[in-house]
Amino acid sequence: MEREKIHLEYLLNATSKSILWTAISTPTGLEGWFADRVQSDDKIVSFFWGKTERRDAEIIAVRAYSFIRFRWLDNEKPREYFELKMTNNELTNDFVLEITDFTNADEANDWRELWESQVDTLRRTCGF
């Protein structure tokens, strides 16, 4: 099945880089919008949804107040990852959340809708 790299950008009315960074890079922050429960053991992060779903990811790159990149441990394609990156719009001083992820080509629209829903939750949770 053909895989597709997707890149999404969301303008957040956020002026605090520490609030956004915490939301995308810490277990507590990720629990607010990305997963029901998150546990971190140094480089390995476990994400839980509902009572039965669990996926483990390795943090493969991180730059404080810039980006965090994860690789799902159950993904057979070693070059695929998902990345949460924050950039600052110097004109408005708002932040942009950039998301890079990979999905099956025929599921790309569903994947975009899922991320849209997750970011809506992030906006509500953090007041962005």
Side-chain angles (χ1 to χ4, degrees):
M1 174 136 331
E2 188 175 335
R3 301 285 287 172
E4 182 176 314
K5 180 179 183 179
I6 58 173
H7 182 83
L8 308 166
E9 294 185 6
Y10 300 96
L11 181 63
L12 302 175
N13 296 326
T15 52
S16 172
K17 70 178 182 179
S18 62
I19 291 173
L20 180 55
W21 179 247
T22 298
I24 67 172
S25 68
T26 67
T28 303
L30 289 163
E31 284 177 357
W33 67 281
F34 184 74
D36 296 332
R37 192 163 56 96
V38 180
Q39 292 179 332
S40 178
D41 179 19
D42 196 27
K43 289 280 189 188
I44 305 299
V45 182
S46 298
F47 298 94
F48 301 86
W49 296 272
K51 294 183 180 183
T52 58
E53 187 174 354
R54 173 187 176 161
R55 286 191 80 189
D56 296 323
E58 176 185 17
I59 298 172
I60 55 173
V62 63
R63 181 179 300 140
Y65 299 100
S66 180
F67 73 92
I68 186 163
R69 183 179 291 181
F70 300 91
R71 185 182 63 79
W72 293 116
L73 296 180
D74 61 0
N75 189 342
E76 297 171 1
K77 303 197 182 312
R79 304 187 113 203
E80 291 188 4
Y81 59 89
F82 76 96
E83 180 179 85
L84 306 171
K85 180 179 182 180
M86 55 186 272
T87 56
N88 185 258
N89 181 322
E90 293 179 14
L91 202 55
T92 64
N93 205 31
D94 288 332
F95 284 93
V96 175
L97 176 61
E98 297 180 41
I99 299 171
T100 303
D101 201 355
F102 293 81
T103 186
N104 293 331
D106 63 343
E107 297 174 349
N109 286 335
D110 292 339
W111 214 240
R112 285 182 181 90
E113 287 178 17
L114 177 63
W115 276 113
E116 183 79 36
S117 172
Q118 298 295 94
V119 172
D120 284 347
T121 302
L122 171 65
R123 284 186 170 115
R124 282 193 311 276
T125 303
C126 295
F128 299 148

